[in-house]
């Protein structure tokens, strides 16, 4: 009975369900302990002489007999005994193109003021282009000044520019009473004034418009000599007149630079001893407002050059000394006699050029060039003019470093006395797409009217493709100043004419056909240039640069690096570049562009990937000179 109770109590104390999890854990722990113990005992038995210093060798040596010799780990030889020869050295990634010193932020290589002092001062020759020798050219990137900002967008830029972009206040003092420019806070203000139009360029142009028609589209292209800050050209834009403004880099510091910051077409230039870099019969109107050019001196050589670039029937407008000297001679601090002699000299030169004086009213005088030379030739025989016509050997369109001459550039022959030499131009905007007279008359060998029309349509398609590749180009108003490095017929500029931009169309002097005259006959502007040299403009002139086959044209003429460095100099920070060329050429260009801190990529031709010609799209990084050190 007692045993029965004991068994019953034991059964009641035991769990109803055995705990198998803890049982298995105990067994696993016990087995692990035993394995570890026997493993350590085995090591101790087989390696009785091993020391702590040799314990790492246990994993690498197996005893071969009862007497074991240990080997030091430090004596192991891991050197390779079968070597391949070293590969040949590869070419460097690209040339080293470091930033220039901050003092070069406004460097203009061909108008360097220190170099210019080596040249004659007679007739201001020292202010012309004088480029450094190739071995003397800088191999560094021109920095923007510290604090540089993207220019204001057009049309706000016409009236203001950031001080940091062109930090020069000299003109605000020198021309304070003439309303050229004022300094306010962090920017310059341009009231639109000038030496001869202190009331403003707009009212001054209105006065001209009362004397000749500026609104019917017959006047589209103009040239302003000695332009100041280019207010005359800036306010002509609202009348659909596109003006090339030029002035030398002289004591009027940054006048052309101010014009470019305003978004107005301008170049550094001077009338001295060489021709202006434009073709004959290019401009509908030429203008000088107290530009200080001695028009009546040196046998009228400067006015003769204006005649060369002026279109048949074009106008020359002069204001300032000596016009209206009877009223202003005291303020000009000159004698009446000297001013009268100066005006008589100008009148004589104009007559020798067969110009007609249309009007002189108040401070304005306007002459008109004849539409042909039929009457002129008759008059010259009667009055026995001493100014000869230029010979046939002198190409009127050759202008790059060509010397000025006093001979009269003959106009193309006409069959009727009422005919316009070279062909009548359509009024703007029809002029843009009409067949240019130089092509219509077949004076450009190899270019037909059909080719012109096809080229115009082709570039409409290409520009549309460009805008898909470069969102900044597609953004209306993002860009203002554009450059086409190899413009041919100007069709790139024609395709983008409805955007708020202007394009400087360059025809390289090495081009097979001189087509710059066609560009002007379309109502566009441009210049001749040799891309082995620097352009006559300030750093950071252009927002966008386009080039079609430029590097193929120059690959045997000069170093690709120098051309790209010049592009970098004249391109604004965060500006864009689009180049089209052979794929091998663009590959070399990209390797250099990478060294210049351009974000560059090569993409397919608009016709697809199987075209050998490709397109490089690049954006210049934003960077500036370091902050100036302060004492």
């Amino acid at each position: 009975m007692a045993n029965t109770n004991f068994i019953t109590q034991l059964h009641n104390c035991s769990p109803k369900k055995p705990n198998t999890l803890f049982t298995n854990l105990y067994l696993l722990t016990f087995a692990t302990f035993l394995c570890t113990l026997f493993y350590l005992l085995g090591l101790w038995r087989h390696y009785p002489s091993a020391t702590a210093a040799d314990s790492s060798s246990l994993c690498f040596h197996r005893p071969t007999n009862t007497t074991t010799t240990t080997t030091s780990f430090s004596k192991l030889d891991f050197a390779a005994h079968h070597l391949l020869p070293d590969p040949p050295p590869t070419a460097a990634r690209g040339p080293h193109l470091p930033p220039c010193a901050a003092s070069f932020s406004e460097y203009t290589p061909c108008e360097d003021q220190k170099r210019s002092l080596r040249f004659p001062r007679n007739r201001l020759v020292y202010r012309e282009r004088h480029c450094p020798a190739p071995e003397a050219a800088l191999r560094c990137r021109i920095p923007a000044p510290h604090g540089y900002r993207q220019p204001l967008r057009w049309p706000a830029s016409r009236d203001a520019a950031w001080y940091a972009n062109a930090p020069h206040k000299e003109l605000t003092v020198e021309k304070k009473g003439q309303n050229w420019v004022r300094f306010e806070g962090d920017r310059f203000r341009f009231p639109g004034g000038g030496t001869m139009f202190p009331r403003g360029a707009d009212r001054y142009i209105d006065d001209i418009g009362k004397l000749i028609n500026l609104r019917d589209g017959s006047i589209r292209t103009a040239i302003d000599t000695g332009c100041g800050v280019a207010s005359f050209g800036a306010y002509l834009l609202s009348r659909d007149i596109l003006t090339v403004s030029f002035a030398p880099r002289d004591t009027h510091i940054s006048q052309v630079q101010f014009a470019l910051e305003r978004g107005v077409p301008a170049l550094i230039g001077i009338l001295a001893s060489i021709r202006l870099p434009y073709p004959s019969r290019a401009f509908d109107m030429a203008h000088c407002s107290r530009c200080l050019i001695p028009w009546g001196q040196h046998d009228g050589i400067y006015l003769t050059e204006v005649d060369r670039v002026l279109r048949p029937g074009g106008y020359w407008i002069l204001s300032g000394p000596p016009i209206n000297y009877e009223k202003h001679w005291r303020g000009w601090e000159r004698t009446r006699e000297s001013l009268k002699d100066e005006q008589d000299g100008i009148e004589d030169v104009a007559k020798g050029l067969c110009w007609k004086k249309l009007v002189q009213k108040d401070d304005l005088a306007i002459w008109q060039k004849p539409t042909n030379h039929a009457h002129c030739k008759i008059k010259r025989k009667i009055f026995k003019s001493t100014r000869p016509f230029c010979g046939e050997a002198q190409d009127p369109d050759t202008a790059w470093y060509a010397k000025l001459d006093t001979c009269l550039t003959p106009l193309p022959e006409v069959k009727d006395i009422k005919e316009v030499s070279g062909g009548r131009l359509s009024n703007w905007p029809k002029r843009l797409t009409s067949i240019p007279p130089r092509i219509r008359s077949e004076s450009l060998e190899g270019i037909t009217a059909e080719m012109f029309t096809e080229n115009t349509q082709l570039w409409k398609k290409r520009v549309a493709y460009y805008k898909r590749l470069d969102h900044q180009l597609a953004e209306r108003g993002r860009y203002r100043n554009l450059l086409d490095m190899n413009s041919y017929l100007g069709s790139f500029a024609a395709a983008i004419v409805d955007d708020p931009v202007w394009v400087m169309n360059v025809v390289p002097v090495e081009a097979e056909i001189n087509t710059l005259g066609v560009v002007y006959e379309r109502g566009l502007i441009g210049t001749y240039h040799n891309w082995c040299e620097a352009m006559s403009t300030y750093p950071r002139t252009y927002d966008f640069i386009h080039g079609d086959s430029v590097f193929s044209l120059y690959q045997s003429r000069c170093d690709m690096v120098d051309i790209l460095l010049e592009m970098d100099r004249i391109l604004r920070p965060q500006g864009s570049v689009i180049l089209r060329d052979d794929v091998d050429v663009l590959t070399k260009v990209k390797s250099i562009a990478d060294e210049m801190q351009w974000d560059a990529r090569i993409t397919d031709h608009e016709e697809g990937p199987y075209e050998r010609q490709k397109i490089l799209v690049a954006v210049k990084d934003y960077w500036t000179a370091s902050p100036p050190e302060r004492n």
Side-chain angles (χ1 to χ4, degrees), residues 477-493:
R478 169 63 182 86
Y479 292 149
R480 174 62 184 169
N481 304 359
L482 277 60
L483 173 69
D484 192 357
M485 299 175 68
N486 187 14
S487 62
Y488 188 42
L489 301 178
S491 294
F492 167 80

Side-chain angles (χ1 to χ4, degrees), residues 22-197:
F22 284 106
T23 302
N24 292 339
L25 183 60
Y26 295 150
L27 291 175
L28 180 61
T29 303
F30 184 70
T32 301
F33 171 78
L34 290 177
C35 290
T36 303
L37 177 64
F38 288 124
Y39 177 75
L40 294 175
L41 288 173
L43 289 178
W44 175 76
R45 182 174 180 179
H46 287 88
Y47 295 91
S49 61
T51 63
D54 296 321
S55 61
S56 62
S57 65
L58 298 176
C59 299
F60 299 98
H61 298 281
R62 192 181 298 272
T64 56
N65 51 46
T66 56
T67 304
T68 305
T69 303
T70 60
T71 303
S72 174
F73 179 81
S74 62
K75 295 181 180 179
L76 294 176
D77 182 11
F78 291 101
H81 296 281
H82 303 282
L83 302 176
L84 292 173
D86 291 336
T90 58
R93 181 185 174 204
H96 180 54
L97 303 172
C100 302
S103 58
F104 286 96
S105 66
E106 294 177 359
Y107 181 58
T108 52
C110 295
E111 289 84 15
D112 181 61
Q113 292 174 309
K114 293 182 180 179
R115 188 183 307 106
S116 68
L117 298 177
R118 306 173 193 169
F119 296 90
R121 290 179 174 264
N122 181 42
R123 288 174 52 185
L124 300 179
V125 168
Y126 75 109
R127 295 203 186 278
E128 291 182 322
R129 286 176 58 87
H130 302 291
C131 300
E135 61 272 13
L138 289 180
R139 278 294 180 103
C140 55
R141 294 175 288 124
I142 302 299
H146 179 70
Y148 178 87
R149 302 171 66 175
Q150 287 297 327
L152 298 168
R153 295 195 176 191
W154 184 265
S157 65
R158 187 192 70 176
D159 302 323
W162 301 117
Y163 168 76
N165 293 7
H168 298 286
K169 298 180 183 178
E170 291 83 354
L171 284 178
T172 65
V173 178
E174 185 178 348
K175 302 293 183 180
K176 183 177 181 180
Q178 299 173 11
N179 284 330
W180 277 35
V181 56
R182 298 172 185 166
F183 177 66
E184 298 177 3
D186 59 353
R187 68 193 69 191
F188 291 108
R189 293 284 184 186
F190 301 95
T195 304
M196 292 308 300
F197 40 94

